[in-house]
Amino acid sequence: MPYPPHLPPDRATAPAMSAEDAGARIRELEAELRELQHRAKNSLQLVISLLKLQAGRIRDPDARVAYEQTMVRIEALAILYRQLHETGAGTHIDLARYVEALCEVVKSGTPGGLANIPITVKAEPVAIGLYEAMPLGLIIAELVSNSLHHAFPEQGWIQVMVTKASDTRARLVVEDNGRALPAGFDTTSDDGLMLAEALASQLGDTLSTDSDAAGTTAAVSFPI
């Protein structure tokens, strides 16, 4: 008797999986996923600890800036995996909670008085997948870091907003009232903004920036 069309011999003769077996397999895969997330969280935390051990030896100002940027980027990923592990939500996180924790880490990693500039997070309830949250978190880290390093007026502020644009996409806006970017500023001359633009393309959009005497606004949309 010939095998059914388009099925190889092993699949044509294999018995169908019962609902009970399918449920057990799903639970097994979920447990494996949680274990992988736990290992990723621990690995990132180890990297952070090792980098902090070297912090006191950095004397060159440019090297110090590069170190701080690297720490913020790794922290952005570590927070993501920590929250995934804590909630046990599989591959999705509460974006508002993630953004708030991320902004706190960026502030705490900023030296001097700039760390006292308030950051307000206004986010609609949005659940976002891991593979969208990773580039989005790095974009937020770069934009907030960039804002904190502006020359701020006495009453400086930064605002991070997330709003639903449709059933399938949401919009991130980061704005501040810091000094405007120089006329003709080339984003490719800034490593952080260049990275943010590359990450925006992974989310199916381009990073838009607008800067004037009132401050700077950057925006990008992303899938939900």
Side-chain angles (χ1 to χ4, degrees):
M1 179 177 179
Y3 295 112
H6 309 302
L7 284 179
D10 58 336
R11 290 186 60 189
T13 57
M17 182 179 291
S18 69
E20 183 178 346
D21 289 341
R25 180 55 178 157
I26 289 172
R27 289 191 292 273
E28 180 183 336
L29 292 172
E30 288 175 343
E32 291 176 359
L33 176 61
R34 287 194 296 273
E35 176 62 22
L36 287 172
Q37 291 171 349
H38 180 66
R39 292 184 182 183
K41 174 183 71 72
N42 288 346
S43 296
L44 288 167
Q45 196 57 53
L46 176 60
V47 171
I48 290 170
S49 298
L50 292 173
L51 285 172
K52 285 182 176 179
L53 287 175
Q54 303 298 318
R57 301 183 180 182
I58 302 174
R59 299 287 182 265
D60 181 77
D62 291 338
R64 168 62 65 175
V65 170
Y67 164 82
E68 291 168 356
Q69 289 176 333
T70 300
M71 285 295 291
V72 165
R73 291 164 186 166
I74 297 175
E75 287 273 16
L77 300 178
I79 293 169
L80 175 58
Y81 278 101
R82 183 165 63 247
Q83 291 191 355
L84 280 172
H85 180 70
E86 289 172 353
T87 61
T91 59
H92 284 72
I93 63 164
D94 178 345
L95 184 56
R97 181 169 175 255
Y98 178 45
V99 174
E100 288 172 357
L102 183 53
C103 288
E104 283 301 314
V105 163
V106 175
K107 278 188 66 174
S108 64
T110 302
L114 293 177
N116 296 322
I117 292 171
I119 302 176
T120 303
V121 176
K122 297 181 178 180
E124 294 182 6
V126 173
I128 185 172
L130 171 63
Y131 296 110
E132 291 75 35
M134 291 176 69
L136 186 66
L138 291 170
I139 289 172
I140 294 169
E142 297 302 332
L143 294 179
V144 173
S145 295
N146 192 58
S147 290
L148 281 170
H149 286 88
H150 284 176
F152 269 90
E154 196 169 310
Q155 299 296 323
W157 52 263
I158 298 171
Q159 185 166 256
V160 181
M161 295 178 291
V162 176
T163 56
K164 287 184 178 179
S166 68
D167 290 339
T168 58
R169 294 192 75 83
R171 185 170 178 80
L172 166 74
V173 177
V174 178
E175 60 180 358
D176 63 58
N177 66 335
R179 187 168 57 184
L181 295 172
F185 179 78
D186 182 6
T187 56
T188 61
S189 65
D190 182 282
D191 290 343
L193 289 179
M194 188 165 58
L195 174 61
E197 288 187 340
L199 292 167
S201 68
Q202 293 183 24
L203 297 171
D205 197 12
T206 57
L207 181 70
S208 64
T209 56
D210 182 42
S211 189
D212 56 28
T216 300
T217 300
V220 65
S221 72
F222 56 93
I224 55 176

